[in-house]
Amino acid sequence: MNSEEKENQPLLLTPAQRIRNDWRSLVDKVSYKAIVNNIPYLAFIVFLCVLYISNSHRAIEMQRELNAENKTLKELRWKYMDVKSQLMFVKAEAQVIKNAETIGLKPSLLPAYKIKK
């Protein structure tokens, strides 16, 4: 074979040489020039990361506020039910008669009647 035939023939690489070439191509991609060329893309990725983190913090804070409001709502609901049951107890006829006796009032023995003109 002459020198021209050797140059036209594809190079057969061993597996070790292929791995070494892969590492070289990776190092070339991560080189300073590659980083400088991809600054807008990297800035966009950093912006998305910051946005994601801030969104997560905001969601956690909103969940804490929601839990606090639910706790307050439960307490107010229990107060409402307590006051409502106390009011129902105070409005009962027997309780009204008992409270009226303390100020000197007695229930009427005659039934109520309507005055007609």
Side-chain angles (χ1 to χ4, degrees):
M1 287 188 173
N2 59 21
S3 62
E4 287 179 22
E5 289 178 7
K6 286 182 182 178
E7 289 177 13
N8 291 339
Q9 204 175 40
L11 296 173
L12 297 176
L13 300 175
T14 64
Q17 288 174 334
R18 272 188 266 139
I19 291 172
R20 202 172 301 127
N21 285 341
D22 289 342
W23 276 103
R24 283 187 188 136
S25 66
L26 181 64
V27 169
D28 289 340
K29 288 179 185 177
V30 184
S31 70
Y32 178 77
K33 185 178 178 183
I35 291 173
V36 169
N37 289 338
N38 291 319
I39 283 180
Y41 177 72
L42 293 173
F44 179 69
I45 296 296
V46 168
F47 174 73
L48 287 179
C49 290
V50 169
L51 195 65
Y52 179 76
I53 291 169
S54 67
N55 190 32
S56 296
H57 284 293
R58 189 169 148 249
I60 290 169
E61 187 62 32
M62 287 180 73
Q63 188 64 39
R64 286 182 183 149
E65 288 178 17
L66 187 63
N67 289 342
E69 292 296 325
N70 280 339
K71 185 177 179 183
T72 305
L73 182 64
K74 276 185 180 179
E75 290 174 7
L76 289 174
R77 192 174 288 145
W78 280 105
K79 266 187 186 176
Y80 165 75
M81 291 171 64
D82 185 42
V83 169
K84 186 176 178 183
S85 65
Q86 288 176 1
L87 181 63
M88 287 176 66
F89 176 71
V90 170
K91 285 181 6 180
E93 185 180 356
Q95 193 65 30
V96 170
I97 292 171
K98 186 177 177 182
N99 289 339
E101 285 179 357
T102 59
I103 58 173
L105 296 176
K106 294 181 183 176
S108 175
L109 298 175
L110 299 172
Y113 59 94
K114 201 176 203 181
I115 300 175
K116 296 183 182 179
K117 273 189 173 182

